[in-house]
Amino acid sequence: MPVGAQERFDIVIANGRVMDPETGLDAVRNIGIRGQSVVAIAEEPLSGETEVDATGLVVSPGFIDLHAHGQSSRANEFQAMDGVTTALELESGVPDIPMFLAMRAGDAVINYGASISHGALRTWAMPEHTADVDRLIAQIAEEGVINAETLDAFFETIAAGRYKQLDPEHYPDLWARLDKGLRDGALGIGMPHQYYPGVSHDEIFRLFQFAAEKNAPIYTHVREMGVTGMQEVVANAIATGALLHIVHMNSSSLWNYQTNLDLILGAQERGADVTTEAYPYTAASTSIESAIFDEGWQERLRISYEDVQWQDTGERLTEESFNRYRAQGGVVIIHLMKEEWIKAQLSDPRVMVASDGMPYAPGAHPRGAGTFSRFIGRYVRDQEIMSLMAGLAKISLLPAQRLESIAPQMKRKGRIQIGSDADITMFRYDDIIDTAGFEGDLTYSEGVQYVIVNGEFVVWDGELIDGARPGQAILGRNVVF
């Protein structure tokens, strides 16, 4: 667009390789930002209060992570250094949206948001647990902060319902609680039902009916690894018309990945609104006390104790240490996938990339720090599984489009166009790479030089800007203030 010579912008990004996956723009351009919006994309020079010479850098829409359990400022710092500008808690969701938003407001390096938690709310709807959950929610609201003791008590209370069926007479209470969550700004419904195996097939199907009625996406961690868990949710989506996103198909599929990939994408090709994601690592991570490690886990997962790694120390487990830690509770890293499985799933341009990043801890799974740089550096650049433009679409445009029906804000994200939000990542394509591994503390990715969130820098010349907190809440369209 022509730009008047007298115009001056808040920020100018000069001489970068601007790449927009939606329009296909891939050219050297100058970008003018005013406030939190992109207002100029031009071939001619621009003038700004702050100017960045992006010569030799890819200027991309900020990366969007649909699956990030690390919802803290420290977790955000690792994500920002990995090029992420929006990180959302959609798989598990949260039990109380206003509480979550209040905790994050003013302390978010990048944009944040969450689904409403089906798992928590179904326990809350069980009469024998309602008073306990009410009490804990009220306590947290009164204190205005969640300490470790309160959080442990809350999860212990919620876990009390995981092996129980919810009587259908209490479905209306569950629907009412879910509906309130959507009106509070939830981005859909989080449904990781492998973690509450007592849930009936009827409850899950009725939940799909409810979600379809509300036009709210379901984000699911399927009932079990393999094919049948995928078939359940895909069938429910087709039968009800519900919007469905299946998280981490790699760890939910294991050696059945090709069947599941054909199942999901086949449904998509025939008109079902079903999408999926994978992360670029061969290990998973979860709580050792979860239902995934119920009796028979070795046969189901085709692994044993030595394939399980204790997060806090990095040690590989034995039968004795596994039983001790399971009684204690805590986070483990599970080495259970093969590289060829991961590469095959990432190679399909329709499979999005999401981190499943865990809450920050020094020895946490590296996916919370390196997912996006690893995908671009190791898979797109080094292994050439697809073009850079196709790779960028998987981590910016496609996640934004997945959310647009529930979150109108996302129509301005995942793109670099006039009027889009100034969520921008600039990186050296030849150098971008993850550095975090499965041993030792988390480390920042390399090659991400500048990150802008809502028109404010959070990474400058490869370094975090101390105290930058421009992240804003991403809210569902049903929000009522």
Side-chain angles (χ1 to χ4, degrees):
M1 62 170 285
V3 180
Q6 75 279 8
E7 286 196 70
R8 192 165 176 83
F9 302 94
D10 297 331
I11 296 173
V12 166
I13 301 169
N15 308 314
R17 179 187 175 186
V18 178
M19 299 186 70
D20 178 58
E22 187 167 56
T23 63
L25 174 65
D26 182 359
V28 174
R29 291 288 187 271
N30 303 301
I31 296 175
I33 296 169
R34 188 170 291 126
Q36 68 175 63
S37 298
V38 173
V39 295
I41 301 174
E43 296 183 56
E44 62 267 28
L46 304 178
S47 177
E49 297 296 325
T50 300
E51 297 186 3
V52 173
D53 183 359
T55 301
L57 301 181
V58 174
V59 180
S60 161
F63 307 154
I64 298 170
D65 190 353
L66 296 179
H67 190 168
H69 302 299
Q71 293 290 323
S72 67
S73 58
R74 185 63 179 130
N76 283 174
E77 289 175 342
F78 284 92
Q79 292 163 323
M81 289 295 290
D82 201 32
V84 177
T85 55
T86 299
L88 308 170
E89 167 58 276
L90 299 181
E91 177 204 29
S92 299
V94 299
D96 188 283
I97 295 292
M99 184 185 303
F100 168 78
L101 297 175
M103 289 174 59
R104 298 288 350 248
D107 193 35
V109 180
I110 59 181
N111 301 313
Y112 57 93
S115 64
I116 187 70
S117 171
H118 170 241
L121 268 55
R122 70 182 299 274
T123 298
W124 205 346
M126 295 175 180
E128 65 269 33
H129 300 302
T130 300
D132 290 336
V133 181
D134 282 342
R135 176 181 53 78
L136 283 167
I137 291 289
Q139 177 183 338
I140 293 168
E142 181 178 348
E143 293 174 352
V145 65
I146 296 182
N147 58 39
E149 183 179 341
T150 306
L151 192 63
D152 288 345
F154 179 80
F155 283 118
E156 183 177 343
T157 301
I158 293 303
R162 66 183 176 180
Y163 293 104
K164 298 180 180 180
Q165 284 195 21
L166 179 66
D167 192 305
E169 72 174 290
H170 301 303
Y171 286 178
D173 185 26
L174 174 58
W175 309 149
R177 293 178 186 277
L178 289 167
D179 187 54
K180 179 182 183 301
L182 294 172
R183 288 183 283 110
D184 285 337
L187 298 172
I189 299 167
M191 191 188 78
H193 55 310
Q194 186 168 24
Y195 289 105
Y196 39 100
V199 68
S200 68
H201 285 86
D202 178 71
E203 181 183 337
I204 294 299
F205 180 72
R206 302 306 169 192
L207 179 62
F208 271 79
Q209 290 182 317
F210 170 84
E213 178 185 334
K214 299 296 180 180
N215 197 30
I218 287 177
Y219 311 95
T220 184
H221 173 145
V222 298
R223 186 184 295 271
E224 57 185 311
M225 278 93 162
V227 178
T228 57
M230 295 286 181
Q231 288 176 325
E232 177 190 23
V233 295
V234 171
N236 287 351
I238 292 172
T240 63
L243 315 180
L244 174 64
H245 182 74
I246 299 170
V247 305
H248 56 46
M249 72 161 292
N250 52 319
S251 56
S252 290
S253 299
L254 301 178
W255 51 89
N256 293 296
Y257 68 90
Q258 192 60 58
T259 303
N260 286 340
L261 190 62
D262 292 343
L263 171 69
I264 294 165
L265 299 180
Q268 188 182 106
E269 288 166 0
R270 285 156 183 79
D273 195 343
V274 179
T275 55
T276 194
E277 69 187 44
Y279 53 78
Y281 295 88
T282 56
S285 184
T286 193
S287 299
I288 195 171
E289 67 270 27
S290 75
I292 288 173
F293 286 106
D294 285 354
E295 187 174 352
W297 63 270
Q298 292 160 294
E299 292 75 21
R300 288 193 301 272
L301 303 181
R302 299 184 186 177
I303 60 172
S304 193
Y305 299 108
E306 64 271 14
D307 299 305
V308 182
Q309 184 178 7
W310 187 242
Q311 174 185 273
D312 291 349
T313 63
E315 68 185 284
R316 297 297 184 109
L317 302 189
T318 64
E319 182 176 6
E320 183 277 328
S321 58
F322 175 87
N323 291 331
R324 173 162 41 89
Y325 286 135
R326 183 157 163 87
Q328 169 189 320
V331 177
V332 290
I333 296 168
I334 316 164
H335 298 270
L336 78 173
M337 289 171 277
K338 296 182 179 180
E339 173 61 25
E340 58 263 33
W341 306 351
I342 303 301
K343 185 176 179 181
Q345 293 165 78
L346 294 178
S347 295
D348 192 290
R350 297 164 291 181
V351 177
M352 300 175 217
V353 175
S355 74
D356 193 10
M358 300 297 284
Y360 170 73
H365 192 302
R367 63 195 183 190
T371 288
F372 298 90
S373 296
R374 182 181 183 87
F375 170 65
I376 293 296
R378 294 183 187 270
Y379 290 93
V380 175
R381 183 191 63 222
D382 295 347
Q383 300 187 38
E384 299 181 330
I385 64 170
M386 63 185 59
S387 70
L388 176 57
M389 188 70 83
L392 291 176
K394 286 160 66 79
I395 58 178
S396 59
L397 179 64
L398 294 184
Q401 290 176 329
R402 170 70 279 179
L403 293 169
E404 286 173 9
S405 67
I406 188 72
Q409 290 161 276
M410 298 308 292
K411 295 179 180 178
R412 303 191 304 273
K413 298 189 184 294
R415 302 145 166 102
I416 297 185
Q417 299 170 21
I418 303 300
S420 63
D421 287 343
D423 289 358
I424 297 174
T425 294
M426 291 170 260
F427 61 91
R428 298 191 306 268
Y429 185 44
D430 290 344
D431 299 327
I432 189 170
I433 200 67
D434 60 310
T435 68
F438 291 106
E439 308 295 337
D441 294 350
L442 291 182
T443 53
Y444 296 138
S445 294
E446 295 178 351
V448 174
Q449 291 301 106
Y450 299 91
V451 177
I452 300 173
V453 177
N454 297 311
E456 183 177 331
F457 285 94
V458 297
V459 175
W460 178 274
D461 197 20
E463 300 286 341
L464 285 163
I465 296 180
D466 188 41
R469 296 292 187 271
Q472 299 177 5
I474 307 298
L475 299 173
R477 55 167 157 52
N478 296 317
V479 65
V480 177
F481 291 104

